[in-house]
């Protein structure tokens, strides 16, 4: 049977239909003076003491009463017990208002989850930018430890793979600076660490008892650790290390959701560390190989002055297709060579390295330039390279105060000799390109340099350099001759520096080919 109180509470005032009492949302109809006129079943469950004829202020929540008492009732929200509700007013005739209430706990939780997800997405984006801002492994480890301690835990460790129980690591406590250390540890002492360093999936944090963890993971002054997370740092094909997170005992333990988020951060940190480590390895290999390909530092050998200069086509490059070398031979001479490989950049530099190595291997027959060039030509024809090269050789020996040269050209520009009186002469030797035809021709000329005189070998990057006042004029051989005439009596280093400086000024900021110079000078005789 329906009680008298329920009958009165569900009585329908004028204007309310029969579905009012069965509506799924709580509804309360109250007059302008706050007197309750009707309450549906859902509202009676929410407000057990609320009945028609009672005052809203006596049985409803304070925030709903305040919203009803306003001059213009507007939507309101607040807590009823341990739930949150939105209240929407529907005006009725005579100033009455029907308040419909909707529980918003699910919406609030959804909004909170969305806010947290946006916060985490922003953090991961900022973290990625910070981690990718360097290609130094140590710096990335410090950034990762600082970010983890500041946003994921109270303290964090980044541990890199090591050998013989020695592991590079960075520890950080929230609010403090990261601290790089070299850990001498047994990773098996911390559950999940050995597996993480090998790239295996992480163990759940509930499997790790902080009280049984090794003492080294707890920073000095940190206190007791309440929960610990260990997760791998995935790299590019190989593990990049491990991330360890710690929280104080008074903090809530890591949730499963937080552990998943930690793995997302670890993936970004591991990728950045792996990329930086790969870059360091490649840089080390590149530096080692580059050192073998760079032009040598020249000096005076057996009383003969040598100096070289090189400028690659691209200012950011260190290597190119022009090269020079000087070798001391068994016959008492020094063999100088300067060449130009077709093309520029790294591919051309690889062939220059092959030519230089081949010529060094052929030094025992340096007294026969033609034979050396034929063997070099055969070597290039039998290789996979399709590029060709030009080459100039000069065997130099000191005879008293003079320097005697045997100069041979293989498709290269003829060397120029600047005499003590400023005259510039061309060494008229000709020859075929290297690496094109099965047989090559070459001619050798002998040159004698008196004290203070210089023979200059150069590549077409000097004479074909375009620039000048209008920007498109070639430097040219005539201008090179005039520059050399001004260098009479200068040592080899000064001749190279002067020519290189003027050619560089001529080009300005414009494009140019590789430039190489090699000067051979008979030093001046100083008085006793």
């Amino acid at each position: 049977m329906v009680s008298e109180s329920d009958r009165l509470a569900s009585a329908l005032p004028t204007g309310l239909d029969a579905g009012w009492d069965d509506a799924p949302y709580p509804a309360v109809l109250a007059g302008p003076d706050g007197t309750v006129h009707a309450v549906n079943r859902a509202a009676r469950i929410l407000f057990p003491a609320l009945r028609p004829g009672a005052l809203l202020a006596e049985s409803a929540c304070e925030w709903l009463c305040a919203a009803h008492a306003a001059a213009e009732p507007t939507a309101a929200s607040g807590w009823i017990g341990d739930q949150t509700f939105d209240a929407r007013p529907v005006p009725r005739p005579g100033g009455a208002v029907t308040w419909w209430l909707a529980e918003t706990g699910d919406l609030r939780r959804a909004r909170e989850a969305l806010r947290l997800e946006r916060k985490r997405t922003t953090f991961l984006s900022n973290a990625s930018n910070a981690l990718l801002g360097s290609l130094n492994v140590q710096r990335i480890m410090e950034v990762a430890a600082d970010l983890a301690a500041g946003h994921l835990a109270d303290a964090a460790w980044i541990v890199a793979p090591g050998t013989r129980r020695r592991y590079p690591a960075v520890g950080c406590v929230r609010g403090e600076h990261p601290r790089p250390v070299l850990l001498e540890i047994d990773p098996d002492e911390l559950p999940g660490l050995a597996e993480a360093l090998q790239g295996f999936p992480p163990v759940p944090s509930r499997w790790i008892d902080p009280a049984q963890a090794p003492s080294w993971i707890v920073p000095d002054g940190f206190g007791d650790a309440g929960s610990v997370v260990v997760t791998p740092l995935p790299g590019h094909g190989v593990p990049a290390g491990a991330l360890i997170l710690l929280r104080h005992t008074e903090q809530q333990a890591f949730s499963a959701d937080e552990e998943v988020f930690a793995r997302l951060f670890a993936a970004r940190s591991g990728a950045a560390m792996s990329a930086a480590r790969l870059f360091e390895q490649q840089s080390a290999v590149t530096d080692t190989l580059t050192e073998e390909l760079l032009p040598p530092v020249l000096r005076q050998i057996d009383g003969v002055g040598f100096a070289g200069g090189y400028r690659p086509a691209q200012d950011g490059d260190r290597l190119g297709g022009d090269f020079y070398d000087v070798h001391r031979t068994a016959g008492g001479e020094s063999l100088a060579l300067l060449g130009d490989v077709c093309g520029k950049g790294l591919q051309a530099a690889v062939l220059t390295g092959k030519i230089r190595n081949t010529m060094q291997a052929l030094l025992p027959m340096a007294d026969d330039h033609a034979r050396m060039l034929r063997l070099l030509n055969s070597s290039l024809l039998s290789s996979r390279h399709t590029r060709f090269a030009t080459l100039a050789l000069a065997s130099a020996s000191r005879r008293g105060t003079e320097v005697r040269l045997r100069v041979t050209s293989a498709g290269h520009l003829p060397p120029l000799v600047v005499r003590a009186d400023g005259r510039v002469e061309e060494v008229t030797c000709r020859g075929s390109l290297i690496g094109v035809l099965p047989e090559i021709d070459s001619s050798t000329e002998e040159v004698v340099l008196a004290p203070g005189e210089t023979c200059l070998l150069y590549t077409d990057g000097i004479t074909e350099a375009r620039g000048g006042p209008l920007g498109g004029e070639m430097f040219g051989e005539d201008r090179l001759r005039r520059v050399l005439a001004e260098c009479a009596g200068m040592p080899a280093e000064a001749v190279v520096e002067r020519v290189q400086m003027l050619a560089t000024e001529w080009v300005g900021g414009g494009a140019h080919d590789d430039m190489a110079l090699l000067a051979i000078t008979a030093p001046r005789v100083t008085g006793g």
Side-chain angles (χ1 to χ4, degrees):
M1 295 180 61
V2 179
S3 67
E4 181 64 16
S5 61
D6 281 348
R7 186 187 66 77
L8 291 173
S10 59
L12 298 180
T14 303
L16 296 181
D17 57 34
W20 156 270
D21 198 47
D22 295 326
Y25 295 101
V28 179
L29 174 62
D33 60 352
T35 301
V36 176
H37 294 319
V39 185
N40 73 354
R41 183 179 292 110
R44 291 196 300 275
I45 296 173
L46 189 63
F47 302 113
L50 199 60
R51 293 292 182 269
L55 291 176
L56 190 66
E58 294 177 352
S59 304
C61 57
E62 183 178 345
W63 61 268
L64 181 59
C65 296
H68 185 77
E72 288 289 337
T74 57
S77 61
W79 288 86
I80 301 176
D82 59 354
Q83 295 177 295
T84 58
F85 286 83
D86 281 347
R88 303 286 178 173
V90 177
R92 293 288 183 180
V97 176
T98 299
W99 289 95
W100 290 93
L101 287 83
E103 200 272 329
T104 58
D106 291 342
L107 178 61
R108 178 175 54 81
R109 285 187 290 272
R111 286 174 175 169
E112 177 61 22
L114 179 60
R115 184 196 66 80
L116 180 60
E117 187 62 28
R118 286 175 174 170
K119 180 181 178 181
R120 287 177 172 178
T121 301
T122 300
F123 167 70
L124 288 177
S125 176
N126 294 336
S128 294
N129 292 335
L131 291 166
L132 296 175
S134 173
L135 285 173
N136 180 278
V137 176
Q138 181 66 38
R139 174 58 183 159
I140 293 173
M141 292 175 64
E142 293 176 4
V143 170
D146 187 38
L147 289 171
H151 298 271
L152 305 181
D154 297 315
W157 285 95
I158 300 292
V159 183
T163 57
R164 298 181 180 179
R165 296 192 175 186
R166 296 166 64 90
Y167 297 87
V170 174
C172 185
V173 177
R174 178 177 294 183
E176 299 182 7
H177 293 294
R179 183 173 59 90
V181 296
L182 182 62
L183 297 174
E184 297 188 15
I185 60 172
D186 179 2
D188 289 326
E189 292 179 352
L190 178 62
L193 179 56
E195 292 80 2
L197 290 171
Q198 298 177 55
F200 291 107
V203 300
S205 62
R206 65 180 182 273
W207 292 7
I208 304 175
D209 181 3
Q212 300 298 320
S215 59
W216 63 264
I217 72 166
V218 181
D220 294 338
F222 183 81
D224 294 331
S227 56
V228 179
V229 166
V230 179
T231 191
L233 299 173
H236 298 304
V238 295
L243 168 66
I244 304 173
L245 302 176
L246 296 89
R247 277 186 178 167
H248 291 294
T249 52
E250 59 269 21
Q251 296 290 338
Q252 185 177 1
F254 291 100
S255 66
D257 185 52
E258 288 174 323
E259 290 186 49
V260 171
F261 184 65
R263 291 199 290 272
L264 293 176
F265 171 77
R268 285 162 171 77
S269 301
M273 288 173 58
S274 184
R277 190 169 288 119
L278 179 62
F279 174 78
E280 287 185 353
Q281 292 171 349
Q282 291 178 338
S283 295
V285 172
T286 300
D287 289 343
T288 300
L289 295 177
T290 299
E291 289 299 322
E292 294 297 317
L293 296 176
L294 287 175
V297 177
L298 303 183
R299 64 188 189 282
Q300 189 175 116
I301 302 176
D302 296 333
V304 181
F306 294 96
Y310 174 69
R311 182 184 178 186
Q314 300 295 328
D315 289 338
D317 291 341
R318 300 176 65 192
L319 304 172
D322 289 6
F323 62 96
Y324 59 81
D325 253 331
V326 176
H327 301 284
R328 179 178 283 153
T329 68
E333 294 180 318
S334 295
L335 178 67
L337 57 111
L338 180 136
D340 184 356
V341 170
C342 174
K344 47 180 159 292
L346 183 58
Q347 291 183 336
V350 171
L351 186 54
T352 68
K354 178 180 176 63
I355 293 175
R356 291 174 63 188
N357 289 337
T358 302
M359 293 300 290
Q360 188 169 9
L362 296 175
L363 284 179
M365 54 190 72
D367 58 336
D368 189 343
H369 290 182
R371 185 183 178 193
M372 292 183 76
L373 293 174
R374 286 196 300 270
L375 292 173
L376 174 63
N377 185 64
S378 298
S379 174
L380 294 188
L381 289 175
S382 63
S383 71
R384 61 181 178 84
H385 297 285
T386 58
R387 298 172 183 269
F388 60 85
T390 65
L391 195 64
L393 305 180
S395 291
S397 60
R398 183 71 178 260
R399 297 291 186 269
T401 61
E402 299 176 335
V403 171
R404 296 184 178 273
L405 302 177
R406 290 185 296 110
V407 183
T408 304
S409 173
H412 201 78
L413 296 172
L416 297 176
V417 175
V418 54
R419 298 298 182 183
D421 58 4
R423 289 179 297 113
V424 177
E425 303 172 354
E426 180 181 290
V427 181
T428 57
C429 53
R430 298 287 186 269
S432 307
L433 298 173
I434 301 293
V436 176
L437 301 174
E439 299 294 333
I440 65 169
D441 295 324
S442 62
S443 62
T444 301
E445 297 291 331
E446 292 191 1
V447 176
V448 177
L449 301 179
E453 296 181 341
T454 297
C455 177
L456 181 71
L457 312 180
Y458 59 95
T459 61
D460 58 11
I462 297 291
T463 54
E464 295 180 5
R466 291 186 177 276
L470 300 179
E473 184 181 355
M474 289 199 302
F475 191 77
E477 187 175 324
D478 289 341
R479 186 171 282 102
L480 176 59
R481 285 172 175 266
R482 290 197 296 271
V483 172
L484 282 177
E486 298 170 357
C487 296
M490 291 185 179
E493 295 84 356
V495 175
V496 168
E497 183 177 352
R498 176 68 175 169
V499 174
Q500 196 170 33
M501 180 186 69
L502 293 179
T504 300
E505 289 179 353
W506 184 261
V507 171
H512 60 88
D513 199 354
D514 296 328
M515 301 179 182
L517 298 163
L518 177 59
I520 308 170
T521 299
R524 286 182 173 276
V525 179
T526 56

